[in-house]
Amino acid sequence: SVGELENVYALSPMQKGMLFHSLMEPDSGAYFQQASFDQKGSFDVAIFRQSLDLLTQRHEALRTNFHRFETGHGQEPLQLVFRHKDSDLSFKDVRGMQPAEQQAYIQALKQEDQARGFDLGTDA
């Protein structure tokens, strides 16, 4: 869930450059990063989700979206920092699959995620 605004900032020159390139080439994947980890032992999804939510609450960069607003000088990109934003954790349990099936499923999830890309205005 997204709460009220905490702050609004102009973009730094580097952020403007990154936004420009992401808008000009939305399918390039230049600023899209993925990481995956193998987990052994027990894993409490609820505690992990709570940890991510606390991390998001602690760091405003994780509660920030970029939007373009119409001003008297054309469209101006701004950073909107939300007072509260939950982390976006997607969890899939693959323990019931055979190892080859697990690997194929994980690879397909990664490809779908990368094909979907990332919208700086909506986190989606």
Side-chain angles (χ1 to χ4, degrees):
S1 65
V2 176
E4 60 190 25
L5 288 179
E6 181 174 301
N7 223 327
V8 177
Y9 299 109
L11 273 64
S12 71
M14 181 175 284
Q15 288 173 320
K16 284 183 181 179
M18 292 173 72
L19 179 61
F20 172 80
H21 288 291
S22 71
L23 293 172
M24 291 300 293
E25 298 180 67
D27 298 329
S28 78
Y31 300 111
F32 185 88
Q33 296 292 315
Q34 283 181 326
S36 62
F37 305 93
D38 291 333
Q39 162 71 38
K40 297 195 184 302
S42 62
F43 182 73
D44 189 323
V45 179
I47 295 293
F48 187 73
R49 184 182 309 274
Q50 186 179 19
S51 298
L52 285 178
D53 288 344
L54 288 171
L55 185 68
T56 302
Q57 195 57 35
R58 186 173 295 153
H59 299 284
E60 71 175 22
L62 300 175
R63 292 180 276 116
T64 301
N65 289 105
F66 296 82
H67 291 280
R68 289 181 295 173
F69 292 93
E70 196 65 42
T71 67
H73 307 287
Q75 287 195 344
E76 182 70 25
L78 295 172
Q79 300 178 61
L80 304 181
V81 181
F82 293 94
R83 194 169 304 285
H84 177 78
K85 186 185 279 193
D86 291 333
S87 60
D88 185 19
L89 175 66
S90 175
F91 176 78
K92 309 288 185 198
D93 189 346
V94 297
R95 290 177 293 182
M97 299 177 185
Q98 295 298 317
E101 186 184 7
Q102 286 177 350
Q103 292 306 315
Y105 183 78
I106 291 167
Q107 190 61 34
L109 281 177
K110 287 180 176 181
Q111 288 173 346
E112 288 171 19
D113 187 47
Q114 189 161 9
R116 187 172 50 252
F118 186 79
D119 185 325
L120 293 169
T122 63
D123 296 338

